[in-house]
Every structure is written in C-alpha cells, then in structure tokens.
Amino acid sequence: MVKLAEWRGKDLFRKYGVPLPRGQVARSAAEAEQLTRSGTVPLPCVVKAQVLAGGRGKGGAVRFANTPEEARAAAQAILGLDFKGETVKELLLEEKLAIGRELYLSLTLDRSARLPILIASAQGGVEIESVDDAAIARIPIDPFPGLAAYERRRAAKVLGVTGPAAASLDRLLSALWRLFQQEDAELVEINPLAVVGEGLVALDAKVIIEDDAGFRHPEYSDIRDDRTPLEEIAREKEIAFVQLDGNIGVIANGAGLTMATLDVLKEFDGNPGVFLDLGGTDDPKKVTEAFLLMAQAKPRAVFLNIFGGVTRCDTVAKGLVAAMDQVPPAERFPLVARIRGNNEREGIEILRAAGITSIPSLKDSAQAVVAAARGTA
Ligand code: GDP
Ligand code: MN
C-alpha cells in the first residue's frame, strides 16, 4: 500500500484532468510567504499540512491566510507539528475558493463483490464513516466496459448535480476512473469535492496505490517510508516480513497459515510482534536469511509453524538450525516448533538434534510459545 500525500494525489488529478484549485508545495515558512507574495498562490489561501492521516481540518492542520504574513505564520504554526504521529514537513498552499456545497466521491475495490466500486454522497467534507448509510450510493463497476454513462448519471443524481456542473461532473468521473485503472490505485477519494460556482473542484485528494503493482511505479520508490528498516531489508531480499507491536516472532508458510497462527497466539493472550511468511520457500539459505532478520527484531520467543506441502520440513529445519547457530548466544531466544507434513520425521529429527522439540498440537505449541515469551516456560 503506497499512500500518496495530498499534493502527489493532486499531481495525478492534474494529469488526468480533475479540476483543482491553484496551488504549490512549500517546505518552509519563508517559502510559503514568498509563494503568496509573488502571486504563485493567490490570496486568500489555504495552508495544509501534507500528512497521510485524515482529519486535518478538525485537527488544526488546515489553516487560512489573507496576507503573505499570515501565510508565513500559518506555515510556521503547522510545520514541525506532530500530527497523529507524523511530523509535518511539507505544506500545500492553495487558493481559497468560495465553496457552495461539499460532496464526497471515491473509487475503491469492493472485495466481497470483487469489483471496483464508485461511492458517492452529497454529504462531503466529513469522514464518510460518519455519514448515514442511506445518504451514500455504492455503484459497482464492471471493470471491462469501465464506468458507464448511466452510472455517471446515477452518481450525478445522488450528488444533486445538475445543469452545467453535470457536464463537468461527467468528465471528472471519467477522469477519475481512468486514473484509478491506469495508476493501479486501490483508492481514489475526493473529500470534499466542492461545488464552486457552476463548476466542481477537488479540494482534497487521497490516493492509495496497490502495492503489488509497485514494480510498475518506480516513481514512488522514494516514498515507501511506511516500512520499518527491517521490513525494508526484507523487501529487498523478497522476504515477506512484517513488524507489529508484540514480542513473539512467528515463522509460518503461506498467508493463510501465518494469519491463523497470529490468531491462535492472540487467542492464548500472546502478542505476535513480527511475522515471517516463508511462502513456498524451503531453500535453507533463504530460511537462514529470513530467520536472522527475525532475530534482529529481538523477539522474546519464536514460534515456527510449518506445514510441509511443496515446502519440505527437513530443509526448513536445516535452515533454521543453521541460522540459530549464527545468532550470538546472548541474543538467542526460546524457539517452539510445530512442523507437520512433507518430510516431517526428518525435520523433527534435525530440530531434536539441535535441542528444539516439535510439538504436534497447534494449541499446545501456541501455549508453549506464549509462556516462553512471558518467561514462565
Ligand atoms: P482533511 O480534513 O484532512 O480531510 O482535509 P481537507 O483537505 O478535506 O480540508 C478540510 C476542510 O478544509 C474541507 O472540508 C474544507 O471545508 C476546508 N477547505 C479546504 N480547502 C478549502 C478552500 O479552498 N476553501 C474553503 N472555503 N475551504 C476549504
Ligand atoms: Mn478531506
């Protein structure tokens, strides 16, 4: 998931022809003042923190300015703020428009319908979660013909957009659909979409690019900073590795088993802190590499839960034992294993020789690792 800052989202809007206020990014108070003094950003203007979290309006991260001095002061007040855990380093300055109504529009994926969906509401400007369901239209889209004319008209009706604005909404919706498809987005949201005079203007932009399409978008490689340093290394090595807040490391294979393992640990009041999905890998070298990465996350205990299908239990065990040997004694942690399936016997034997017992029951093994992480094993 690559979440784009508002200004990056708006760069995409511009590229696809979604109408925007005139604006510019600033990274210092002096720059904010200069942009308004020179007229690059017309006054009065809006000064907006470029953070990924929403609710900036309510949270004091969107301010208004009538003069270059006020723009400077607003910038000064917002830059460096800690907004929901993010430090504000960039601002977007835009002309302040006289808004009529505020509307809501988004395109996203409806996973249960397995289709893209257009969501529209005449009650924009507030979080969509807080809007009454009856006031929200959800229009599933057949991705092959794409967003059809009758669907765009249905959206216009829901939004109460008529007259000349209807033509501009129609173009905007087509543009949004093209953006959604061509940029591999999983979410494109405009909230609010403002009615300004006879036209429509996107005042906000939230765009999330689907991570699995990341290879098609090298332009975002510099902003994938929502990963921890270890996750970053893992990504380069093509290891599926995720860090959470807890203290138990989980090594499993396949997304299903990995998620189920996390659930089982939670069930027994354990706190998974980092997990690793070996997928179909049983290359001992890869297992060693992955395990060493996990060791760097300093878990209190590690749970190895492997089902050998294509993956062979013995080669996973081999990789694991080799890796454990490379962890300095002071940094070692208790390891609880449960390996079942292909070459199970050989795998269990390799682990036993290294002093690791494989517990066949999921319940017993999960409870053992939870106890080990608590130091009560
Ligand atoms: P969010 O709260 O993080 O979603 O930030 P938004 O970009 O949606 O801005 C919050 C609110 O600021 C909007 O709902 C608008 O009411 C207001 N706002 C933003 N830009 C303008 C503008 O150009 N003119 C006016 N009048 N209000 C604006
Ligand atoms: Mn918004």
Side-chain angles (χ1 to χ4, degrees), residues 56 191-192 204:
R56 292 167 304 166
N191 187 24
D204 195 3

Side-chain angles (χ1 to χ4, degrees), residues 128-181:
I128 191 70
E129 290 79 5
S130 69
V131 175
D132 189 4
D133 230 30
I136 301 172
R138 298 167 201 277
I139 306 173
I141 303 162
D142 184 331
F144 296 105
L147 184 61
Y150 70 89
E151 290 163 339
R152 302 196 297 270
R153 283 196 297 275
R154 191 178 146 200
K157 192 162 179 194
V158 169
L159 296 174
V161 173
T162 53
S168 101
L169 177 64
D170 199 67
R171 279 193 302 275
L172 186 151
L173 285 169
S174 299
L176 216 57
W177 172 253
R178 280 198 306 278
L179 189 163
F180 182 75
Q181 282 218 307

Side-chain angles (χ1 to χ4, degrees), residues 46 48 54-57 62 64 95-97 99 102 125 191-192 203-204:
V46 189
K48 308 175 79 176
R56 292 167 304 166
V62 174
F64 300 97
E95 61 179 323
K96 182 182 178 192
L97 299 169
I99 303 177
E102 295 191 337
N191 187 24
L203 292 193
D204 195 3

Side-chain angles (χ1 to χ4, degrees), residues 216-299:
R216 282 205 284 262
H217 299 281
E219 66 271 31
Y220 303 130
S221 55
D222 58 323
I223 54 163
R224 290 165 205 276
D225 53 3
D226 49 345
R227 291 193 196 98
T228 67
L230 285 178
E231 285 173 343
E232 196 55 55
I233 297 170
R235 187 180 171 81
E236 278 156 24
K237 298 188 183 227
E238 295 181 26
I239 297 170
F241 176 96
V242 175
Q243 269 183 297
L244 307 167
D245 288 334
N247 55 16
I248 299 175
V250 170
I251 305 175
N253 61 329
L257 182 60
T258 309
M259 293 301 120
T261 306
L262 299 182
D263 283 351
V264 170
L265 288 174
K266 283 274 185 194
E267 191 63 32
F268 294 117
D269 296 322
N271 224 341
V274 48
F275 66 86
L276 186 62
D277 174 5
L278 291 178
T281 317
D282 62 356
D283 172 4
K285 252 199 257 155
K286 192 103 187 182
V287 174
T288 303
E289 223 174 30
F291 185 83
L292 289 174
L293 205 62
M294 169 153 288
Q296 285 182 57
K298 306 216 177 306

